[in-house]
């Protein structure tokens, strides 16, 4: 008499392991969680950062990051009915990000002939930055915005200094002239920088909802690279080390800055995906206060680079740091933020993206 062998079912995988292996998306596709996170992005913010210019003026010690609050880390994006990957998953990131701009201006793309600056040793759509850069500056604020002064007084400690967190950005209305260079030696620099924010076309709105990694890939796709922190500084301030591209006094009529703040109410997708979802698209249109590239003639640096202050925060590379902390944001955006040359917001990770974040590219200049 033969005995029938009992089939023993394999032990069930622990719940944590099953959840970590995969999850089923709306379109029936199965994606690894790590890949899904990379494709969907996070549109997140973290605690406030301080001004990167060192040493800072005493009054700027409590400066906050140029970014608005957002949902807590790990907040899920709204369900995607299309179930398609974002621009980050497309083979040609440069072409994909072209969609993150508005239609060309009526001038149809006027030539840059006659504009300030020189393109010698650079492609025609770039400007040459050539001179001696001061790595360490002292910029002393003589007069702050009333909003900032009121916030400082509110948080003043009886023992000196200020205490507690704040959502008020440090806006300086006037700086002492001239800026002092505290470095023993200046560093010679020579490179090319895009005249306008990506896609570097006059009369078009700059790209937004772009991550640092997408920006790196887009610049590489057109034979350029993302600018470094120091390259942005020098292109913005020139050898005179100007706090703002146009001088020592803050002026909202010259650059797209100090517009009323609008609180974000919905989590946003990356640009291409957001345009496919009516609610996301409507929310972006409500928040958006960009102006076309080069449309504010006075918002130009000593080297002839436009919109380095305000309009859109620009991703840069922070040399010497490891992933995911190689990313920084420079220049400020249209809101009531610092919006000047030196500060760097450094708490946004490489995969983060936001409606106020874009970029421009740099490139080595041809030998003399």
């Amino acid at each position: 008499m033969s005995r029938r062998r009992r089939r023993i079912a394999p032990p069930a995988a622990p719940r944590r392991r099953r959840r970590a292996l995969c999850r089923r998306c709306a379109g029936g596709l199965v994606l690894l969680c790590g890949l899904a996170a990379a494709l969907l992005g996070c549109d997140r913010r973290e605690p406030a950062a301080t001004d990167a210019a060192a040493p800072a003026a005493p009054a700027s010690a409590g400066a906050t990051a140029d970014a608005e609050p957002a949902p807590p880390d790990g907040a899920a994006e709204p369900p995607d009915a299309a179930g398609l990957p974002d621009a980050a998953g497309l083979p040609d990131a440069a072409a994909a990000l072209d969609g993150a701009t508005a239609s060309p201006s009526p001038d149809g793309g006027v030539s840059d002939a006659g504009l300030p600056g020189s393109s010698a040793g650079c492609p025609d759509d770039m400007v040459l930055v050539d001179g001696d850069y001061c790595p360490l500056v002292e910029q002393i604020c003589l007069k702050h915005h009333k909003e900032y002064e009121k916030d400082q007084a509110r948080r003043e400690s009886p023992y000196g200094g200020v205490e507690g967190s704040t959502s008020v950005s440090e806006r300086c209305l006037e700086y002492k002239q001239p800026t002092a260079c505290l470095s023993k030696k200046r560093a010679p620099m020579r490179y090319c920088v895009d005249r306008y924010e990506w896609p570097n076309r006059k009369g078009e709105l700059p790209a937004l909802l772009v991550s640092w990694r997408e920006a790196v890939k887009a610049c590489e796709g057109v034979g350029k690279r993302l600018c470094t922190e120091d390259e942005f500084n020098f292109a913005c301030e020139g050898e005179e080390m100007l706090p703002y591209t146009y001088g020592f006094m803050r002026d909202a009529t010259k650059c797209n800055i100090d517009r009323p703040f609008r609180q974000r109410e919905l989590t946003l997708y990356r640009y291409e995906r957001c345009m496919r979802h009516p609610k996301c698209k409507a929310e972006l249109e409500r928040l958006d206060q960009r102006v076309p590239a080069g449309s504010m003639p006075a918002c130009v640096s000593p080297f002839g680079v436009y919109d380095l202050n305000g309009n859109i925060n620009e991703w840069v590379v922070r040399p010497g740091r490891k992933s995911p902390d190689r990313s920084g944001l420079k220049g400020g955006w249209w809101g009531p933020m610092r919006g000047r040359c030196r500060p760097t917001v450094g708490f946004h990770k490489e995969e983060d993206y936001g409606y106020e974040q874009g970029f421009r590219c740099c490139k080595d200049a041809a030998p003399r």
Side-chain angles (χ1 to χ4, degrees):
M1 178 177 173
S2 61
R3 294 183 179 181
R4 297 177 64 184
R5 295 183 180 178
R6 290 180 60 190
R7 292 186 179 179
I8 301 176
R15 289 184 179 180
R16 289 184 182 176
R17 185 180 179 189
R18 289 205 305 269
R19 281 198 297 266
L21 288 176
C22 64
R23 63 185 176 91
R24 197 167 296 274
C25 296
L29 300 175
V30 178
L31 299 175
L32 293 177
C33 287
L35 178 58
L39 291 175
L40 298 178
C42 52
D43 190 28
R44 69 172 181 237
R45 308 290 185 271
E46 295 182 28
T50 55
D51 195 324
S60 67
T64 59
D66 295 354
E68 41 76 49
D73 290 351
E77 290 184 344
D80 181 10
L84 297 174
D86 295 320
L90 297 177
D92 186 355
L97 290 175
D98 266 353
T101 64
S103 300
S105 62
D107 63 20
V110 176
S111 169
D112 286 348
L115 292 176
S118 168
S119 293
C122 300
D124 292 340
D125 62 347
M126 304 186 83
V127 175
L128 176 67
V129 176
D130 189 4
D132 295 322
Y133 169 66
C134 177
L136 192 63
V137 302
E138 181 183 50
Q139 295 177 334
I140 299 175
C141 183
L142 301 178
K143 182 180 178 182
H144 279 101
H145 192 279
K146 289 182 179 179
E147 180 188 45
Y148 178 76
E149 292 178 345
K150 184 177 179 179
D151 180 71
Q152 292 287 102
R154 177 183 64 82
R155 299 187 297 116
E156 188 173 359
S157 166
Y159 306 103
V162 292
E163 296 179 341
S165 60
T166 181
S167 60
V168 177
S169 185
E170 184 254 336
R171 286 186 283 167
C172 183
L173 302 181
E174 181 180 0
Y175 279 93
K176 179 182 177 180
Q177 301 185 42
T179 296
C181 178
L182 301 183
S183 299
K184 292 183 179 180
K185 297 178 76 174
R186 295 198 181 210
M189 297 182 72
R190 187 173 185 271
Y191 57 96
C192 307
V193 61
D194 284 349
R195 187 181 293 273
Y196 308 108
E197 294 153 324
W198 182 275
N200 195 23
R201 290 195 286 269
K202 183 178 181 181
E204 294 196 17
L205 294 177
L208 42 64
L209 292 174
V210 180
S211 72
W212 181 88
R213 290 176 181 171
E214 289 176 304
V216 169
K217 188 174 181 181
C219 288
E220 291 175 350
V222 293
K224 301 177 184 179
R225 54 179 169 75
L226 198 60
C227 302
T228 67
E229 196 172 9
D230 285 345
E231 286 174 336
F232 185 100
N233 287 345
F234 196 35
C236 187
E237 67 187 19
E239 290 186 311
E240 198 177 349
M241 303 165 289
L242 300 174
Y244 301 102
T245 58
Y246 46 81
F248 292 86
M249 300 186 69
R250 190 179 184 92
D251 190 343
T253 67
K254 292 186 175 180
C255 288
N256 185 24
I257 57 173
D258 292 343
R259 294 189 178 232
F261 177 74
R262 299 172 184 174
Q263 177 67 49
R264 180 169 56 76
E265 298 174 357
L266 297 175
T267 298
L268 300 173
Y269 299 129
R270 284 188 171 90
Y271 185 85
E272 289 291 329
R273 192 179 183 196
C274 187
M275 291 298 99
R276 298 196 299 266
H277 291 267
K279 287 185 178 180
C280 184
K281 184 177 180 181
E283 176 69 353
L284 179 58
E285 290 173 351
R286 183 184 69 84
L287 296 168
D288 190 7
Q289 298 183 68
R290 293 169 296 170
V291 298
S295 63
M296 301 187 77
C299 192
V300 62
S301 81
F303 291 105
V305 187
Y306 283 86
D307 304 317
L308 285 165
N309 291 150
N311 209 30
I312 203 82
N313 254 331
E314 299 185 27
W315 287 115
V316 295
V317 176
R318 303 171 77 196
R321 296 177 181 267
K322 296 182 179 180
S323 181
D325 298 314
R326 296 170 295 178
S327 51
L329 286 167
K330 302 280 294 179
W333 46 294
W334 63 74
M337 308 297 171
R338 286 173 294 184
R340 57 181 191 266
C341 295
R342 280 275 168 163
T344 300
V345 177
F347 61 81
H348 290 273
K349 304 303 180 185
E350 296 170 17
E351 71 276 8
D352 290 352
Y353 64 95
Y355 69 79
E356 77 285 3
Q357 296 168 8
F359 66 102
R360 77 177 74 219
C361 305
C362 283
K363 185 183 179 72
D364 293 343
R368 288 188 177 88

